[in-house]
Amino acid sequence: MNMLDIQLPGLDLKNPIMPASGCFGFGKEFGNLYDLNVLGAIMVKATTPEPRFGNPTPRVAETSSGMLNAIGLQNPGLKHVMADELPWLNQFDVPIIANIAGSQVEDYVTVAREISKVSNVKALELNISCPNVKEGGITFGTDPLVAKNVTEAVRAVSEVPVYVKLSPNVTNIVEMAQAVEAGGADGLTMINTLMGMRLDMKTGIPILANKTGGLSGPAIKPVAIRMIYEVSQAVTIPIIGMGGIMTAEDVIEFFYAGASAVAVGTANFTDPFVCPKIIEELPVLLKKLGYNHISECTGRSWNKHEQFANHRA
Amino acid sequence: MIKNEAMKIVSQQEIAESIYELTLSGSLVSEMNQPGQFVHIKTGNGYEPLLRRPISISAIDKENNTFTMVYRAEGKGTSLLSQKKNDAAIDVLGPLGNGFSPEAAMSGETALLVGGGIGVPPLYELSKRLTKLGVNVIHVLGFQNAATVFYEEKFQALGETYITTVDGSRGTKGFVTDVIDKLSDSYTTIFACGPTPMLRALESAYKETKEVFLSLEERMGCGIGACFACVCHTADDPTGFHYKKVCSDGPVFRAGEVVL
Ligand SMILES: Cc1cc2nc3c(=O)[nH]c(=O)nc-3n(C[C@H](O)[C@H](O)[C@H](O)COP(=O)(O)OP(=O)(O)OC[C@H]3O[C@@H](n4cnc5c(N)ncnc54)[C@H](O)[C@@H]3O)c2cc1C
Ligand SMILES: Cc1cc2nc3c(=O)[nH]c(=O)nc-3n(C[C@H](O)[C@H](O)[C@H](O)COP(=O)(O)O)c2cc1C
Ligand code: FES
């Protein structure tokens, strides 16, 4: 019996585990290591209308149980992603979630309109939460009205369901979630990275050339759990959870908080085989905990008794 | 092919101040074919340190299924690594990247190998390969001071070897370039690994007259080309969006290929 299959808007997942955007490129490198067909889905690197080089290096700095990154949305641009990266991924029976970014509403609309036509792109992930670009990015993700507007604009042109990626760098995460739900979002993905900084012991100056960067990894997991717990009770759309997942146990905790699927980011750097490992371990863990299906875990932290938010068809 | 293996420690010893030589055995060695490639090492067991550490391969012994690294124990990860005892297992991902091509120099020619500090180790396997191909080798190796000098005899056994130290406590006082400036112009190819200012100096002085290959260093996330942590601009598009990844396109580049 399949204990892991999950249906979400646009996404028919054989399991709810997918690599998070920016931590898996467009799949080619990890495709050399294992068969990508095992994955539930793949969230590919952010795509912008034009190619972007991103920030100067150093772009990463290690922190306690985490890391900072300031890649700056480097990507080869919409044209190349459509002509090369996405067709390459077509050899796998895995839905692709295209992460889209920009510095103005028109950028998001341009990318969404084009990329949502690609056959293996089954959903969009609207990245309104990147802390590492000067214009756009996070400003879309911290003002509820702006977030709602960009969601509406993208929803109007997209041919596939739209998930909005929320930034944790806000005072009221529920307000943001409700705003994008009102804007027509089909789902939420959360959380993106938390803004942080590290200073060099010898020189005293920031390690990252961009000075600040986004914190990810196990260090941010409690923040993600808390936010998903709050948001999942306040919206009716499903949540793909992320932030510090390293193990199958972490996945279950995200489901308990209210997630219906999860993404694994930074852990791919520590262990490039982490996604297949988690997928293999989950059924064993679920059985041990007494569940027949992973969907039974969703929202257990606040809705223990009712069978709810089980987004299976 | 890139593999991930729990490799066994055959030996580990401090060979100079804070400089450790670590030999590991495992089947991953059969994938190692090029000097200048590196491995990505998980130095702790839990989430601390979270990221792997890139370390060059300094010698490959296919017969015994072992390879050797030489590294400086400095920060959190490398210090942990230096405390591991014989028979312990180390989580290794590799071999990674594109290293030096010994074939860039021809038999009978002379190659100049220039190393700075912890950039010296990958030159050892390279030098062995070059001498096997009949290439004459000259080594110029720069260190901070006498206490941190390593592998001097090993390099001497392969060819002419010059040591420089910043404080003059061993060999020539100063930088590698101080020695190179005085060498006769007998070599056709330069292979170098070390701090970026050293690589820059070599590039600007010899790019036009010699074949120059440089091994770069950059902070890494994935180490396999997926995260865009380690990119540099290409020299023909220094402010545009064309790039190379140090981890998977490099770490070795021809001088003039990327912006240092
Ligand atoms: C391709 C390549 C080959 C290398 N080969 C060798 C070698 O043969 N011997 C050797 O001693 N060192 C080598 N280095 C440098 C080595 O990776 C760093 O010294 C090491 O990562 C520092 O880790 P730490 O735990 O001591 O320091 P920490 O301060 O704990 O490191 C914190 C973070 O910064 C990164 N970092 C710090 N310094 C460097 C650096 N100089 N280069 C890249 N990342 C860094 C670490 O990887 C880690 O992610 C190489 C680096 C690269 C990129
Ligand atoms: C190196 C790196 C690059 C990232 N790039 C993107 C990106 O392009 N778009 C995006 O929406 N999120 C990006 N993220 C955020 C992750 O997708 C994820 O939301 C975050 O890292 C938290 O999950 P984790 O702790 O499992 O890494 C990036 C994260 C890292 C570490
Ligand atoms: S370290 Fe990830 S792309 Fe080079």
Side-chain angles (χ1 to χ4, degrees):
Chain A
M1 197 188 80
N2 191 334
M3 305 173 78
L4 301 180
D5 58 321
I6 293 275
Q7 259 87 48
L8 297 178
L11 301 169
D12 193 351
L13 309 173
K14 47 185 171 276
N15 66 66
I17 309 299
M18 57 193 90
S21 178
C23 302
F24 209 74
F26 292 89
K28 280 180 182 151
E29 295 77 17
F30 285 87
N32 289 330
L33 300 180
Y34 62 84
D35 180 5
L36 301 186
N37 280 308
V38 303
L39 298 169
I42 297 175
M43 294 171 143
V44 293
K45 179 75 190 161
T47 301
T48 52
E50 299 300 325
R52 278 180 67 98
F53 181 81
N55 292 322
T57 58
R59 292 178 171 185
V60 293
E62 194 176 54
T63 65
S64 296
S65 298
M67 66 177 283
L68 294 167
N69 90 80
I71 308 294
L73 296 182
Q74 178 158 23
N75 76 92
L78 178 62
K79 228 192 241 157
H80 180 86
V81 170
M82 303 242 321
D84 181 328
E85 309 289 356
L86 294 172
W88 183 85
L89 282 164
N90 218 358
Q91 63 185 294
F92 304 102
D93 177 28
V94 177
I96 305 302
I97 301 174
N99 187 279
I100 68 175
S103 40
Q104 43 191 344
V105 177
E106 295 80 72
D107 292 345
Y108 287 97
V109 168
T110 305
V111 180
R113 183 187 290 128
E114 296 304 317
I115 215 165
S116 67
K117 291 182 185 142
V118 181
S119 65
N120 55 344
V121 171
K122 303 297 185 195
L124 301 185
E125 183 181 40
L126 198 54
N127 180 3
I128 55 167
S129 44
C130 182
N132 298 324
V133 289
K134 297 246 150 30
E135 358 53 64
I138 200 162
T139 57
F140 287 101
T142 49
D143 180 331
L145 197 63
V146 178
K148 178 170 178 256
N149 288 342
V150 69
T151 306
E152 273 171 356
V154 167
R155 197 67 205 78
V157 298
S158 176
E159 302 192 4
V160 295
V162 176
Y163 291 70
V164 179
K165 185 160 187 176
L166 298 183
S167 169
N169 301 302
V170 295
T171 318
N172 188 341
I173 190 77
V174 169
E175 188 185 13
M176 291 302 302
Q178 288 172 331
V180 301
E181 183 181 36
D186 299 280
L188 301 171
T189 66
M190 58 193 287
I191 57 176
N192 208 322
T193 54
L194 287 142
M195 268 234 254
M197 193 174 200
R198 263 212 71 186
L199 307 177
D200 184 85
M201 228 353 89
K202 284 184 197 141
T203 63
I205 63 172
I207 292 177
L208 296 173
N210 189 52
K211 297 189 175 71
T212 62
L215 183 64
S216 64
I220 72 168
K221 196 183 89 177
V223 179
I225 296 288
R226 187 268 292 178
M227 289 187 162
I228 293 168
Y229 173 82
E230 288 178 359
V231 168
S232 60
Q233 298 178 71
V235 299
T236 58
I237 49 179
I239 297 171
I240 301 176
M242 64 197 75
I245 294 175
M246 302 290 283
T247 63
E249 281 81 3
D250 293 337
V251 173
I252 301 291
E253 199 176 337
F254 272 77
F255 272 72
Y256 285 165
S260 298
V262 295
V264 180
T266 304
N268 290 290
F269 307 158
T270 310
D271 177 3
F273 296 92
V274 67
C275 287
K277 275 182 196 161
I278 290 177
I279 292 164
E280 215 178 290
E281 286 166 12
L282 267 177
V284 183
L285 179 61
L286 286 168
K287 254 180 234 150
K288 200 173 99 186
L289 294 170
Y291 299 109
N292 296 314
H293 196 278
I294 192 162
S295 56
E296 292 161 24
C297 301
T298 297
R300 227 178 148 72
S301 56
W302 51 268
N303 189 354
K304 236 173 109 186
H305 305 295
E306 289 159 38
Q307 198 55 24
F308 115 98
N310 170 359
H311 300 282
R312 299 172 74 192
Chain B
M1 213 181 87
I2 299 170
K3 280 193 179 163
N4 186 204
E5 186 182 2
M7 300 185 78
K8 220 170 92 179
I9 298 187
V10 177
S11 69
Q12 159 136 270
Q13 52 179 335
E14 192 172 2
I15 55 172
E17 194 176 81
S18 295
I19 304 288
Y20 289 79
E21 182 192 61
L22 173 60
T23 299
L24 300 178
S25 81
S27 65
L28 202 150
V29 175
S30 63
E31 306 293 330
M32 297 180 170
N33 292 310
Q34 212 186 17
Q37 285 186 298
F38 65 102
V39 292
H40 220 189
I41 298 204
K42 181 133 172 43
T43 58
N45 293 325
Y47 300 164
E48 198 77 358
L50 189 67
L51 297 177
R52 290 171 178 269
R53 300 293 191 262
I55 307 283
S56 302
I57 297 164
S58 72
I60 307 167
D61 180 351
K62 293 233 175 185
E63 232 158 76
N64 294 307
N65 243 353
T66 63
F67 83 99
T68 300
M69 292 166 282
V70 176
Y71 65 93
R72 181 165 61 216
E74 199 173 23
K76 200 160 50 177
T78 51
S79 298
L80 267 174
L81 191 60
S82 71
Q83 287 154 23
K84 306 251 178 181
K85 300 278 183 272
N86 281 8
D87 292 329
I90 308 269
D91 180 337
V92 180
L93 181 72
L96 302 178
N98 293 297
F100 294 108
S101 299
E103 297 76 23
M106 308 271 249
S107 174
E109 287 181 356
T110 300
L112 178 67
L113 280 62
V114 186
I118 51 169
V120 169
L123 301 180
Y124 184 56
E125 178 67 27
L126 173 65
S127 185
K128 289 203 294 186
R129 302 266 174 134
L130 287 168
T131 46
K132 213 174 266 169
L133 290 171
V135 178
N136 304 317
V137 289
I138 302 174
H139 312 107
V140 181
L141 312 174
F143 299 91
Q144 280 301 316
N145 51 47
T148 54
V149 175
F150 59 89
Y151 273 26
E152 186 177 357
E153 305 77 30
K154 287 192 177 222
F155 278 101
Q156 247 155 14
L158 296 167
E160 219 171 293
T161 301
Y162 301 90
I163 302 290
T164 70
T165 50
V166 177
D167 65 358
S169 52
R170 174 86 137 263
T172 306
K173 182 178 160 74
F175 297 104
V176 287
T177 38
D178 297 325
V179 169
I180 299 168
D181 291 344
K182 297 196 185 93
L183 285 178
S184 86
D185 193 32
S186 62
Y187 51 89
T188 51
T189 316
I190 300 177
F191 299 99
C193 183
T196 306
M198 179 193 106
L199 301 181
R200 259 190 219 122
L202 291 171
E203 175 170 277
S204 65
Y206 300 103
K207 187 173 74 179
E208 306 299 338
T209 52
K210 310 282 179 195
E211 283 243 74
V212 183
F213 297 92
L214 308 171
S215 183
L216 273 56
E217 219 174 64
E218 190 51 77
R219 282 180 186 247
M220 292 182 178
C222 67
I224 60 172
C227 76
F228 293 94
C230 66
V231 299
C232 47
H233 284 284
T234 57
D236 56 14
D237 186 21
T239 54
F241 58 83
H242 289 104
Y243 63 90
K244 294 281 176 188
K245 294 171 189 158
V246 172
C247 70
S248 54
D249 296 317
V252 176
F253 295 97
R254 189 182 281 272
E257 194 178 347
V258 297
V259 179
L260 294 178

